Amino acid sequence: MTTITLIWITLPFLLGFIIYLVPKLDKYLALGAALASAGYAAQLFVAQSPLELKLLDNFGVTLTLDELTGYFILTNALVTIAVILYCWQSDKTAFFYAQTMMLHGSVNAAFACTDFISLYVALEVSGIAAFLLIAYPRTDRSIWVGLRYLFISNVAMLFYLVGAVLAYQTNHSFAFSSLRGAPPEALALIFLGLLVKGGIFVSGLWLPLTHSESETPVSALLSGVVVKTGVYPLVRCALILDEVDPIVRIFGVGTALLGVFYAMFEKDTKRMLAFHTISQLGFILAAPVVGGFYALTHGLVKSALFLIAGALPSRNFKELQHKPINTSVWIALVIASFSISGFPLLSGFGAKILTIKNLEPWQVIAMNVAALGTAISFAKFIFLPRGGKDEVKPGFWPGVILLLSGLVVANIVYYDAYTVANIIKPLATIGIGWLVYLFIIQRLAVKLPRVLEQFEHLVGFMSLMLVLLFWMVLA
């Protein structure tokens, strides 16, 4: 099993290099690597016990592969497959597929690592690959958005690296467990880097511009899997260290509320989805013990929604009210919106029920408010007019059908959720959300300021978050 694991980790990087040498095979090699990841993730669910590898003792690579890792790796695999299918008949070059493989491999590595130095390398490689994909169109706008993302990411990783060194000084180990007994500044610095990388709370205000301005398939990758490279270590640390769990849960609640507040009033489809990504990352952190399943559900549905948003006749919700959508596209949009709102028969229902049942008492009200905000936000999609004749890209349906099918199949993971009480509550929440949207939100002309997303403020927020983390750790 150790040999298989090492082959699986190196395969995307190897195939990415081969794509440069044999560009005519780019799509096939990329698809093969993603399918291999899906197969490996399936094997992790079958395995009776977790696999732990220590390849270079205290100084090197520590890998933990268990059910939690399996959820995140499966998310990466399915989203990558969907994006490759979406781009299959496009004019994307071998460079695009090679960088997609670099991103896929580094994200897989980030989900497998349980030591801070290996994770640092994986996060940096994923950041560079993501930058190259964001800047792929080579327009002035895309290059600026990519450089903005790269700068914020690298600054955050510098804080993270200093924290990792401080943790090593205490316990002479880079393992996640070395945070136990480490000085408070180590925890604060490491968490700052991960919060920024994962788009959590105000540290994540870089995310809406980056995800909304990227090309449609890149937006799907960023929102579906890349941001989870910062979330996964937080979930893992919360499960390993009891003293970290309350901090992670607090940020989960704050992130869920902040993201959904912006999403409710956003008038741009892709920006609304990006803000809602922030909110959904909060749901993953709010109940770390079930965060893996929620991450899978969110990755599938949000990637589908970004692909569908790219097929809409406009990005402006007001304009879409007067531009009927292709009926087939509208049905796909409604299915995805139902899932993320928690409608029964889709995995979003089980994920939300499972999360709510694993909350602390002080979290329940706030997370129910966030769930209501989700229903309000996606009512904007559900009540759009249909009947348009716009054609979609040739690769649109294979990618979207795969992701939506995943939402249906993943629904069986938590079939115990189907009790009368559990079904009534989300239906009531969705119904109330629709009423609030139709009679209040739809009639409001609120335009939230974007000043907090400006580059200089993003750097300033890092300082504020560092102060907040110091206070939380010391408290």
Side-chain angles (χ1 to χ4, degrees):
M1 189 60 198
T2 301
T3 304
I4 294 174
T5 300
L6 296 178
I7 292 173
W8 160 72
I9 285 180
T10 56
L11 184 64
F13 300 107
L14 177 62
L15 293 182
F17 178 71
I18 294 175
I19 284 172
Y20 277 119
L21 301 178
V22 193
K24 289 185 177 180
L25 298 178
D26 51 7
K27 303 179 184 69
Y28 303 97
L29 293 174
L31 185 61
L35 288 170
S37 288
Y40 186 84
Q43 187 275 331
L44 289 177
F45 292 113
V46 176
Q48 297 298 316
S49 58
L51 175 66
E52 295 191 9
L53 301 176
K54 291 187 178 181
L55 303 182
L56 293 171
D57 296 325
N58 291 341
F59 294 98
V61 180
T62 306
L63 306 180
T64 300
L65 297 137
D66 55 11
E67 188 174 294
L68 175 64
T69 313
Y71 280 118
F72 281 89
I73 293 171
L74 184 60
T75 305
N76 189 23
L78 293 176
V79 171
T80 303
I81 292 170
V83 166
I84 292 169
L85 293 175
Y86 180 87
C87 299
W88 197 269
Q89 299 183 53
S90 69
D91 58 354
K92 293 286 188 288
T93 63
F95 177 83
F96 177 87
Y97 293 102
Q99 293 309 319
T100 300
M101 283 299 92
M102 296 300 166
L103 182 66
H104 181 75
S106 57
V107 169
N108 276 343
F111 292 156
C113 293
T114 49
D115 72 278
F116 292 118
I117 291 301
S118 301
L119 178 63
Y120 171 77
V121 174
L123 292 177
E124 286 288 47
V125 174
S126 69
I128 295 169
F131 157 70
L132 292 172
L133 288 173
I134 293 167
Y136 177 78
R138 299 297 187 273
T139 62
D140 290 344
R141 179 68 170 170
S142 67
I143 291 172
W144 159 242
V145 172
L147 288 172
R148 174 180 177 270
Y149 167 79
L150 191 62
F151 182 85
I152 294 296
S153 175
N154 284 351
V155 170
M157 285 294 95
L158 287 175
F159 284 114
Y160 169 93
L161 193 57
V162 174
V165 172
L166 291 174
Y168 180 82
Q169 280 185 328
T170 304
N171 294 308
H172 301 289
S173 171
F174 286 116
F176 286 177
S177 56
S178 66
L179 281 180
R180 184 177 284 112
E185 54 268 27
L187 178 61
L189 289 165
I190 288 171
F191 269 41
L192 175 63
L194 295 175
L195 291 171
V196 173
K197 194 73 178 179
I200 304 301
F201 199 47
V202 292
S203 304
L205 290 178
W206 59 265
L207 189 151
L209 177 67
T210 305
H211 289 204
S212 63
E213 293 299 321
S214 300
E215 288 188 310
T216 295
V218 178
S219 296
L221 284 171
L222 292 174
S223 227
V225 294
V226 175
V227 289
K228 294 180 177 66
T229 57
V231 171
Y232 167 79
L234 294 170
V235 172
R236 180 68 76 181
C237 287
L239 296 176
I240 294 174
L241 304 168
D242 292 339
E243 58 268 34
V244 168
D245 183 74
I247 298 174
V248 171
R249 286 177 180 268
I250 289 169
F251 276 112
V253 172
T255 304
L257 292 174
L258 176 71
V260 84
F261 173 76
Y262 273 94
M264 283 193 299
F265 297 103
E266 184 54 61
K267 302 295 189 287
D268 180 285
T269 55
K270 290 188 73 174
R271 281 179 59 84
M272 190 280 273
L273 292 175
F275 273 119
H276 204 269
T277 292
I278 296 177
S279 177
Q280 293 297 288
L281 295 174
F283 275 84
I284 297 172
L285 295 180
V289 70
V290 293
F293 182 47
Y294 204 101
L296 171 63
T297 295
H298 171 257
L300 296 177
V301 72
K302 192 55 63 71
S303 299
L305 284 164
F306 267 109
L307 295 182
I308 294 168
L312 299 180
S314 172
R315 281 178 53 171
N316 187 293
F317 276 111
K318 284 193 175 180
E319 291 180 9
L320 287 173
Q321 294 288 348
H322 307 289
K323 293 183 178 181
I325 302 170
N326 181 307
T327 304
S328 299
V329 174
W330 179 82
I331 291 172
L333 182 62
V334 168
I335 292 172
S337 299
F338 273 4
S339 179
I340 204 166
S341 300
F343 197 84
L345 302 180
L346 297 161
S347 65
F349 167 75
K352 275 195 164 53
I353 294 296
L354 201 57
T355 299
I356 294 295
K357 288 187 177 300
N358 284 277
L359 296 175
E360 299 291 341
W362 60 268
Q363 294 177 287
V364 173
I365 294 176
M367 296 308 292
N368 278 312
V369 170
L372 177 62
T374 299
I376 295 170
S377 301
F378 285 90
K380 290 189 275 190
F381 280 130
I382 292 169
F383 290 102
L384 289 175
R386 58 193 180 278
K389 303 296 182 184
D390 291 340
E391 295 296 321
V392 295
K393 293 183 178 181
F396 173 82
W397 284 114
V400 171
I401 288 173
L402 171 66
L403 295 169
L404 295 183
S405 300
L407 293 173
V408 176
V409 174
N411 184 53
I412 66 175
V413 170
Y414 187 47
Y415 56 86
D416 293 339
Y418 285 90
T419 65
V420 174
N422 285 347
I423 291 173
I424 290 175
K425 183 179 178 181
L427 290 178
T429 301
I430 292 170
I432 294 170
W434 289 359
L435 292 174
V436 171
Y437 166 71
L438 291 171
F439 294 105
I440 301 176
I441 301 296
Q442 192 178 29
R443 303 182 183 188
L444 293 177
V446 178
K447 186 175 182 180
L448 297 177
R450 298 186 182 182
V451 64
L452 298 180
E453 298 176 49
Q454 292 178 3
F455 185 70
E456 58 269 26
H457 293 305
L458 295 176
V459 178
F461 275 130
M462 289 192 203
S463 302
L464 291 176
M465 287 296 292
L466 191 56
V467 172
L468 177 60
L469 281 163
F470 269 118
W471 175 77
M472 293 175 72
V473 173
L474 291 172

